[in-house]
Amino acid sequence: MKNAADIEGVIVEGPTVERQSEILTPQAVAFLAALAREFEPRRRELLAARERRQAEFDAGALPDFLTATYPVRDGEWRGPAIPPDLRDRRVEITGPTDRKMVINALNSGASAFMADFEDSNTPTWENLIGGQANLIEAIERTISLDTPDKQYRLVERPAVLLVRPRGWHLPERHVRIDGAPMSGSLFDFGLYFFHNARRLIERGSGPYFYLPKLESHLEARLWNDAFNYAQDALHIPRGTIRATVLIETILAAFEMDEILYELRDHSSGLNAGRWDYMFSIIKKFRNRPEFMLPDRAQVTMTVPFMRAYTELLVQTCHRRGVHAMGGMAAFIPSRKDAKVNEVALARVRDDKQRESRDGFDGTWVAHPDLVPVARAEFDEVLGDRPNQIDRQRPDVHISAAQLIDVRVPNGTITEAGLRNNVDVGLRYLESWLRGTGAAGINNLMEDVATAEIARSQLWQWVHQGGRLDSGETIGKSTVRALEEDSLAAARGTMDDKDFSHTRFHDARELFDKVALSPNFIEFLTLPAYELLD
C-alpha cells in the first residue's frame, strides 16, 4: 500500500499492523526519508568496501593496526563526560522489544536494559512497529500487560534504556525510498530518535544506543554523521546521543581507538560482543585451514586470542575515559533442575568475577534471575564507585599477532559439538522464522549469533577438511544425517498436526543453504529475511 503521508518517493509496503499510524506519522516518515537520502550512498560504499577487504583476506592478507591512523592511537584525547544516569552500568540486561520482555527487563534490578531490534529480534513488520510503540510507552511509564496469571507494571525506578538498531548490512524492505529498501539501521534508529529524544531529555535521560557489527572506523564515522544530522534536524544539541559500540568483528578489534575517536562526543564505550566476534573470525578466514576452530564450547574467554581481545578493549576504553562492557551470560535458570543451576551459575560467577577483576565496568545478562549473581561480583570490586574507568591497564601490550593467533590449546572437534551445532542451529532458525528471535534452547537464551557460529563452523569444517577427534572426516552427508536426527527428535515431541504448523521444513532448507552451499553466505539473516511475512 502507499504510505498515508503521501511523501514523494516513499512507499510503505506490506500489511498494516496495530499502531502503525501512530509510529509512521507523516513527520516521522519524512525524517526517515531524509536520513535515507543523506546516508544511503555512503552505506552502500562501505558495504562494498567490506567485500573488497574480504577478497584481500581470501588472497592471503591478514589484518593489522592501521598505519594511517597511528596519530589517533598515539594521541592523548579522551571521550566526553558520562551522563549521570549512565555512570553506573554494572549489570545490563538485554532482550527483544516485546511488551512482556520490556517490562520484565526494566523491572529486573539491572542498571540498564538494552532493547534489541537486532540479533534477538526477528524483524517482522509487527515486531518492528510494535517494538517502537512499546518503547514509547516504556519511556512515558504507561506500559502494562494483563494476563490471566499476572499484571505487569513498571516499578518506580526502572533500568536505564538503551536501544540496539540493526547493523549496516540489513535492509528494511517494507519501506522503499526512491525505489530501494531503506537501511534497517537508519529505520530503527530514526524512528526511536524521532519519537523519543525529547521525551528522554525531559526525563533527565537521553537517546542511548548500542551499535552492532561495525567493521571499521569509517562505519563509525557514518553513524556519527547520522547522529549529528538527526540532532540538527530536530534542534537537539549535538552530543546528546550516546553510543556504545559492540566490538564483535575481528576487524573492529584493530580499530578500537579509531572507532571511539570517530564517534567524538557521542561515544559511550565499547562492549565485548564475544559470540559474534567468534563468528567474524570464522567468516573472515573461512578459506584458510589454519583458522579452523574447535567446538565452540571450547573457545572460552580464557583462551589466548579471546583474552587478548578483551584486555585490549578494557585498556583502550579506560585510556579514553569511557566504559568497557563485558560479555553475555546467556544461561536461563531452571525451575526444575537444581543441579543444572548449580553448575551453570558457578560458571556465570567465574565469568563475571574474571570480567570485574580485569577492569570491565559492567556486564550483560539475558535473564532477570542472573542480575543479582552478576551484580554481586561487580559490587565486590566496585563498592560505592559507579565504574572503574580510572583503573588504567599499562601492563597490557597486545600485538596484531596475538589477536589473530586463534589456536586453542588441546582444542578438538567432537561429535557432541558437531551435533549441537546442527541441532541448535535448526531449532533456532525455526523459532526465528516464526517471529521469535530470542529462543530458550537447552537452558540458554539464544539469538542470531548462536546460529551464525553454528552454521559457519559447519561450513568451515566441511570445506576445510575438518575431522572429529575420532578421526572421521566431516562431510555434507554427515551434517545432513544429523539434521534428520534433529528433525526426528522435534517430531517426537509433538503430534503430526502440531508439527505441520512449525517451520522446520523452511528452517532445514535455510540451514542447508547457509551451512553447506559452495559459496559462504555473509549473513544468514539476509536469505532468512526473504522467508518472513
Side-chain angles (χ1 to χ4, degrees):
M1 69 175 186
K2 192 171 185 187
N3 180 50
D6 199 27
I7 297 170
E8 185 176 356
V10 179
I11 299 292
V12 176
E13 300 174 320
T16 300
V17 299
E18 187 177 357
R19 304 185 71 177
Q20 180 169 324
S21 61
E22 173 189 342
I23 302 303
L24 292 179
T25 64
Q27 297 82 4
V29 172
F31 182 68
L32 292 179
L35 281 173
R37 287 167 176 150
E38 183 71 20
F39 297 108
E40 181 61 20
R42 281 176 58 192
R43 182 182 80 95
R44 292 181 183 177
E45 289 171 7
L46 289 169
L47 293 180
R50 288 186 182 183
E51 294 181 4
R52 291 193 295 272
R53 292 195 76 180
Q54 183 62 57
E56 293 172 0
F57 296 137
D58 289 343
L62 290 172
D64 202 346
F65 297 103
L66 303 178
T67 302
T69 57
Y70 174 78
V72 172
R73 292 195 302 280
D74 191 51
E76 293 303 320
W77 54 273
R78 285 172 68 85
I82 303 169
D85 62 338
L86 270 187
R87 288 174 186 158
D88 190 329
R89 302 171 65 182
R90 64 188 70 194
V91 184
E92 295 184 344
I93 190 168
T94 76
T97 56
D98 63 272
R99 182 166 290 258
K100 183 177 177 181
M101 178 68 205
V102 168
I103 298 172
N104 282 341
L106 290 172
N107 289 350
S108 66
S111 313
F113 164 47
M114 188 204 75
D116 191 18
F117 285 105
E118 201 226 6
D119 271 6
S120 66
N121 175 67
T122 301
T124 64
W125 192 230
E126 184 177 11
N127 283 351
L128 294 169
I129 298 299
Q132 293 282 352
N134 290 338
L135 295 183
I136 291 173
E137 286 190 40
I139 294 165
E140 294 283 1
R141 303 290 192 267
T142 59
I143 190 169
S144 64
L145 176 65
D146 293 330
T147 71
D149 301 320
K150 186 176 179 180
Q151 290 183 327
Y152 295 83
R153 303 289 187 273
L154 282 187
V155 296
E156 184 176 345
R157 297 187 65 182
V160 174
L161 182 62
L162 302 97
V163 169
R164 178 165 69 171
R166 284 168 284 179
W168 283 127
H169 61 288
L170 292 170
E172 177 44 62
R173 72 175 184 216
H174 297 93
V175 179
R176 303 182 70 83
I177 311 292
D178 302 328
M182 80 169 295
S183 158
S185 301
L186 295 178
F187 178 86
D188 299 338
F189 158 72
L191 281 180
Y192 180 74
F193 183 79
F194 180 85
H195 287 295
N196 298 302
R198 292 198 179 280
R199 284 186 168 105
L200 289 159
I201 294 166
E202 289 168 0
R203 287 160 177 77
S205 188
Y208 304 146
F209 296 92
Y210 263 98
L211 305 180
K213 305 291 190 294
L214 267 66
E215 294 195 8
S216 76
H217 68 286
L218 297 179
E219 295 180 12
R221 182 182 297 173
L222 178 57
W223 269 119
N224 193 71
D225 290 346
F227 291 162
N228 282 332
Y229 184 93
Q231 289 166 135
D232 292 350
L234 297 189
H235 307 291
I236 288 171
R238 291 188 174 190
T240 301
I241 292 172
R242 294 302 169 91
T244 305
V245 174
L246 289 126
I247 301 299
E248 54 188 355
T249 69
I250 181 63
L251 301 185
F254 287 90
E255 301 185 33
M256 294 186 197
D257 275 307
E258 293 91 330
I259 286 169
L260 290 173
Y261 183 78
E262 289 295 342
L263 284 167
R264 301 294 204 284
D265 292 336
H266 302 121
S267 176
S268 194
L270 304 175
N271 175 287
R274 52 199 186 186
W275 304 124
D276 270 303
Y277 188 76
M278 194 189 311
F279 161 57
S280 172
I281 289 171
I282 298 168
K283 177 169 65 172
K284 291 301 176 187
F285 308 115
R286 59 195 179 236
N287 295 316
R288 302 175 68 166
E290 68 269 28
F291 283 90
M292 187 157 53
L293 293 176
D295 288 1
R296 58 189 171 96
Q298 297 175 27
V299 187
T300 67
M301 297 308 295
T302 60
V303 302
F305 78 94
M306 295 297 276
R307 186 101 176 117
Y309 145 68
T310 55
E311 290 201 318
L312 180 60
L313 189 149
V314 171
Q315 181 193 54
T316 303
C317 287
H318 287 185
R319 183 184 176 198
R320 305 309 180 186
V322 294
H323 287 106
M325 301 301 297
M328 170 67 78
F331 176 63
I332 304 172
S334 172
R335 308 294 185 187
K336 300 177 180 179
D337 195 329
K339 290 184 178 180
V340 168
N341 287 350
E342 183 180 355
V343 172
L345 289 176
R347 291 175 180 165
V348 172
R349 290 189 189 95
D350 287 347
D351 185 48
K352 302 314 172 188
Q353 184 180 84
R354 175 190 53 76
E355 287 182 334
S356 61
R357 283 152 180 75
D358 281 351
F360 281 97
D361 303 293
T363 192
W364 272 14
V365 299
H367 193 280
D369 288 357
L370 296 185
V371 170
V373 177
R375 182 178 290 278
E377 297 303 328
F378 276 84
D379 285 348
E380 186 172 336
V381 171
L382 291 175
D384 294 332
R385 296 177 298 157
N387 53 62
Q388 50 186 335
I389 290 174
D390 58 350
R391 179 185 169 191
Q392 303 295 298
R393 293 293 308 273
D395 56 307
V396 173
H397 303 281
I398 303 299
S399 67
Q402 286 175 280
L403 290 173
I404 57 174
D405 183 357
V406 301
R407 289 174 293 182
V408 176
N410 303 312
T412 58
I413 304 172
T414 68
E415 182 180 346
L418 176 65
R419 187 177 293 275
N420 183 267
N421 274 352
V422 173
D423 185 57
V424 173
L426 272 176
R427 290 167 65 184
Y428 178 77
L429 288 181
E430 194 278 330
S431 173
W432 193 93
L433 291 172
R434 284 188 289 104
T436 301
I441 303 173
N442 299 333
N443 290 110
L444 294 174
M445 186 61 73
E446 306 288 19
D447 66 9
V448 169
T450 303
E452 289 283 31
I453 295 171
R455 66 93 181 188
S456 62
Q457 278 207 309
L458 293 170
W459 194 96
Q460 185 184 48
W461 293 342
V462 167
H463 286 82
Q464 299 303 331
R467 290 179 178 272
L468 296 175
D469 53 2
S470 65
E472 178 186 348
T473 300
I474 302 169
K476 291 183 179 181
S477 60
T478 314
V479 174
R480 290 188 172 120
L482 292 177
E483 289 175 359
E484 288 293 343
D485 290 349
S486 182
L487 291 175
R491 286 192 192 96
T493 64
M494 61 188 78
D495 59 33
D496 290 343
K497 181 179 179 181
D498 288 339
F499 189 80
S500 69
H501 289 108
T502 70
R503 297 202 64 179
F504 275 108
H505 176 75
D506 293 329
R508 195 216 175 134
E509 286 191 355
L510 174 62
F511 193 70
D512 262 2
K513 183 175 184 177
V514 298
L516 300 177
S517 61
N519 297 315
F520 189 88
I521 294 170
E522 289 293 309
F523 293 96
L524 68 81
T525 42
L526 293 173
Y529 191 36
E530 298 304 313
L531 301 176
L532 287 183
D533 296 335

